[in-house]
Every structure is written in C-alpha cells, then in structure tokens.
C-alpha cells in the first residue's frame, strides 16, 4: 500500500535557525515526491518535487529537500527560517498508476521571532 | 496567477439548501480532484475524475456528487447541506505526466 508519514504534527524553530520537516514514504515502484505549503484559508502551493536525478532538490522560497532512498525519506529543509515560513506543510507522493497522490497528515511549522 | 479557479471563496448557507461549488482550470488537465479539509488538518479525497464523463468516489465517504461534462469544469454539488458539511473544499488538477497537483484557493463552506 502507498502511504506517506509526517511524524511531527508541529515543528517550532527560532527565526534564523535551520529547519527540518520530516517525511517518510512507502510506495511500490519509483516514487515521485512533492512538498506543498498551505497558508491559512488558502489552497496548497507547490514548493518542490523529486522525480529523478540529484538527491538534493531546490525549490521555492529557499526550501530544499533531500531524497534518501535507503531511508525512504524526503525531508524538507531550509538553512535559515523566516517568520513568514510559518504555515502548514504537506508531503505527497505520486506512485502506483500515477493517477493519485497520497498526502501526509501535514506538519505545522511555527517560526518564532 | 492560479490556473485553477474555485468559487465562491466563502459560503454560509442554511441547512437543507442545495449548493454547487465551482472548479475550473485552464491548463487542459485531464485529471481533477476534490479534497475536503478541516482547518489545519489533513486532506481527504472525496471525488476524482480522469476525464470527461469519468467520475469516481474517493477515500472518504461523502454525500456530495460531481460531474465532468467538460474537461475544464468539475463542479461539486451538495443536494441538502448539513452542519457536518462545514469544511474547506479544495479542487486540484494534474496532467498525465509526472507533475504535481495544481490547487485552487479553496471554498470555505459553513452550514448553519
């Protein structure tokens, strides 16, 4: 069965510090992995994706993610957090017949000034 | 600018009313989806469509119905709204390749 896990409901970090939002997945076949961000009362916005190639993927707003096949992980990272990064983050995988996405449960990121 | 549009953005409606949430995309995507999301919570797939005249129920049981008569249009209808339908409804689309979803801004529905 395909699944995505975000083990942390909430991540708290001080502004200027590095941040990591964790994601692990379980899929059959090659995974296509995505990160989305959601601000209050809005839809989800695409941040970045891993399809193939370099394991370190760079995306919007200074975010990056590292694909680790052996650990089946796709953690989202940013070297220096901003207060404006505070939002809900979703990891997703497109797998199987590629017609459906499987979303994690979301991680709320709080960046304190 | 978003290429997928949802209207209305906010809706407050009385119990028992019939409502239709609109979703349109201009990207020519064949696959479209409806998700239900309570504030700050996970997404639940309620309906999806792989093309014109194709609709399927999602993982979460829903009393709503959908139609797909045109590629660009995927409306969701509640025949008789109830307070338990209060939620945010997100529409998304994707093409047949390996790209990601594009999401609309959502409709926040309140049934009183």
């Amino acid at each position: 069965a395909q699944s995505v896990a975000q083990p942390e409901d909430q991540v708290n970090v001080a502004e200027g510090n590095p941040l990591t939002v964790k994601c692990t997945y379980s899929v059959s076949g090659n995974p296509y992995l995505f990160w989305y961000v959601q601000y209050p009362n809005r839809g989800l916005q695409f941040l970045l994706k891993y399809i193939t190639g370099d394991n370190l993927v760079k995306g919007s707003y200074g975010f990056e993610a590292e694909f680790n096949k052996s650990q089946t992980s796709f953690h989202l990272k940013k070297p220096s957090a901003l207060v404006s990064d505070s939002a809900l983050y979703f990891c997703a995988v497109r797998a199987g017949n590629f017609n459906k996405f499987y979303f994690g449960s979301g991680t709320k990121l709080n960046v304190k000034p | 600018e978003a290429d997928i549009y949802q209207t209305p953005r906010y809706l407050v409606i009385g119990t028992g009313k019939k409502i239709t949430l609109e979703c349109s995309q201009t990207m020519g995507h064949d696959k479209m989806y409806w998700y239900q999301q309570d504030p700050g919570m996970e997404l639940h797939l309620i309906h999806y469509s792989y093309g014109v005249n194709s609709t399927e129920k999602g993982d979460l049981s829903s009393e709503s119905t959908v139609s797909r008569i045109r590629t660009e249009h995927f409306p969701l209808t509640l025949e008789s709204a109830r307070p338990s339908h209060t939620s945010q409804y997100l529409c998304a689309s994707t093409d047949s390749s390996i790209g990601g979803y594009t999401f609309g801004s959502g409709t926040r529905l309140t049934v009183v």
Side-chain angles (χ1 to χ4, degrees):
Chain A
Q2 330 286 358
S3 66
V4 176
Q6 292 181 242
E8 302 155 316
D9 290 336
Q10 186 166 297
V11 170
N12 299 310
V13 64
E15 188 174 32
N17 284 359
L19 69 87
T20 298
V21 182
K22 295 180 180 178
C23 172
T24 59
Y25 64 90
S26 174
V27 299
S28 55
N30 291 324
Y32 299 131
L33 295 155
F34 303 82
W35 275 102
Y36 289 86
V37 60
Q38 185 180 34
Y39 298 100
N41 298 317
R42 305 294 297 178
L44 277 67
Q45 297 178 31
F46 170 81
L47 273 181
L48 51 80
K49 68 180 178 182
Y50 171 83
I51 303 299
T52 187
D54 195 347
N55 290 341
L56 185 64
V57 179
K58 294 188 183 297
S60 306
Y61 313 120
F63 283 94
E64 56 189 29
E66 186 169 11
F67 171 65
N68 188 316
K69 188 173 183 178
S70 63
Q71 297 184 5
T72 61
S73 67
F74 190 55
H75 301 333
L76 181 70
K77 300 181 180 184
K78 188 173 183 180
S80 179
L82 299 172
V83 172
S84 57
D85 293 330
S86 299
L88 189 58
Y89 290 81
F90 288 95
C91 181
V93 62
R94 185 173 186 175
N97 61 7
F98 304 116
N99 288 334
K100 288 173 69 174
F101 282 69
Y102 299 88
F103 284 89
S105 54
T107 299
K108 184 177 181 183
L109 174 65
N110 296 313
V111 181
K112 299 292 175 60
Chain B
E1 291 294 326
D3 295 315
I4 183 165
Y5 305 95
Q6 289 187 245
T7 56
R9 284 282 287 120
Y10 301 94
L11 179 63
V12 180
I13 199 166
T15 297
K17 298 292 186 182
K18 177 181 179 179
I19 56 170
T20 296
L21 308 184
E22 301 288 347
C23 176
S24 295
Q25 49 97 4
T26 60
M27 298 168 285
H29 286 171
D30 52 350
K31 297 174 180 56
M32 297 188 74
Y33 306 80
W34 276 103
Y35 285 85
Q36 185 174 344
Q37 182 192 29
D38 291 331
M41 302 296 286
E42 59 191 298
L43 286 80
H44 296 285
L45 179 65
I46 52 174
H47 295 284
Y48 59 98
S49 168
Y50 292 159
V52 171
N53 294 325
S54 157
T55 61
E56 301 285 346
K57 288 189 178 295
D59 303 322
L60 180 68
S61 176
S62 174
E63 296 167 340
S64 57
T65 59
V66 292
S67 63
R68 189 88 182 276
I69 299 173
R70 304 196 314 267
T71 298
E72 62 272 22
H73 194 212
F74 191 42
L76 181 145
T77 298
L78 278 166
E79 291 292 334
S80 180
R82 298 202 304 226
S84 60
H85 296 139
T86 294
S87 189
Q88 174 163 252
Y89 293 83
L90 293 169
C91 183
S93 71
T94 190
D95 59 15
S96 299
S97 69
I98 55 178
Y101 277 170
T102 300
F103 279 88
S105 297
T107 293
R108 183 168 293 284
L109 173 66
T110 302
V111 183
V112 297

